[in-house]
Amino acid sequence: VGSYTANTNGQKYSAWAWDAGTAASGANNDGSINISSGNQWKSATAGISITKYTGDGANDATIGHGLAVKPEWVIVKKASGSGEWKTWFKGMSSANGKMLTLSQNYAEGTSSWNTPTNTLLKIATSGDQYLNASGADYMAYTFVGIPNYSQFGKYEGSGSGWKWVFTGFKPNLLIIKRIDAQTDWMMFNGKTMGKGAVTGLFGNPVGGQIHPNDDEDEDATYQWVDFYSNGFKILDNAGGALNSGGNNFAYAC
């Protein structure tokens, strides 16, 4: 079936997938909102859980994420109606009351979110429509870093030259967002980006990037980053979106 967003004839697409196991988990009643059997998938190996929950509109609502480790990256999307993609990184300016919007280029904003724990996502304190409207269904994607596989955090921009971030493994996917300013999300795929073809002995430079916050095609205007066996190097400030001096950038790779 042809689709403008997923299957137009002759067009190129990128997709990212994590293996969350071969079967759904049982019920998770750790939080104030219970998760019924079949509505949570989780994998300690991949450091991910996927949870469907129904909001109750209550103050201080929580859901069990099932990973037994404090999350480092969380994405929540309303599934039963329109709503922005809300996301939280461990490196944000305040663990409480701050979130970014994956579908917009906003700086971090005030939210009813509170810092998660080893067992719980603290999703709302006031019935937030993006996180916990009464009777609405939501999907929560929760990640923790796995050595030599994934890493989530922040770095401070150098403002000139290049910026090196150590990961201990070679990234295939890199997502960056400046925390304190209205800048595009920058997403780099070292495997299959089209016009930004990966070249060179180390697969560098990685030229193509896309913005999760808009519907523009891939931008291969500049060579933005290098991927190495133990980290990534930022090569360009991208108008403040990647390496402006003294500013903080959240990243997932």
Side-chain angles (χ1 to χ4, degrees), residues 60-251:
D60 300 318
T62 60
I63 62 171
H65 55 72
L67 291 178
V69 180
K70 186 176 179 179
E72 297 175 323
W73 186 30
V74 183
I75 305 171
V76 179
K77 176 67 174 72
K78 190 175 183 180
S80 59
S82 61
E84 303 285 6
W85 291 77
K86 294 297 182 180
T87 185
W88 173 88
F89 286 88
K90 68 174 183 179
M92 298 184 71
S93 66
S94 171
N96 289 330
K98 297 291 185 180
M99 291 195 89
L100 289 163
T101 304
L102 188 62
S103 47
Q104 299 287 345
N105 65 357
Y106 307 145
E108 65 176 1
T110 301
S111 169
S112 57
W113 177 268
N114 281 314
T115 184
T117 70
N118 286 359
T119 56
L120 299 174
L121 300 182
K122 298 184 178 182
I123 56 174
T125 58
S126 58
D128 189 320
Q129 64 167 319
Y130 299 120
L131 301 173
N132 190 31
S134 180
D137 290 331
Y138 296 85
M139 297 298 298
Y141 305 88
T142 305
F143 298 84
V144 296
I146 302 296
N148 301 316
Y149 178 78
S150 60
Q151 184 169 295
F152 311 96
K154 71 176 179 179
Y155 63 86
E156 183 177 310
S158 64
S160 62
W162 50 266
K163 176 70 180 184
W164 168 256
V165 178
F166 176 81
T167 63
F169 60 92
K170 184 175 182 178
N172 286 322
L173 171 66
L174 174 62
I175 303 171
I176 297 173
K177 177 66 177 78
R178 182 172 166 181
I179 295 173
D180 62 347
Q182 185 169 321
T183 60
D184 285 325
W185 289 80
M186 309 289 276
M187 179 183 286
F188 304 92
N189 179 359
K191 287 291 188 181
T192 59
M193 287 301 224
K195 291 181 287 186
V198 178
T199 59
L201 179 62
F202 297 104
N204 289 313
V206 180
Q209 59 89 18
I210 56 177
H211 304 152
N213 54 273
D214 62 38
D215 60 359
E216 296 177 356
D217 63 353
E218 180 187 345
D219 182 354
T221 306
Y222 301 104
Q223 304 303 321
W224 307 93
V225 300
D226 281 348
F227 287 169
Y228 293 97
S229 62
N230 60 351
F232 61 90
K233 182 192 292 185
I234 304 296
L235 303 177
D236 191 283
N237 190 17
L242 290 176
N243 193 29
S244 55
N247 296 116
N248 290 320
F249 298 80
Y251 72 88

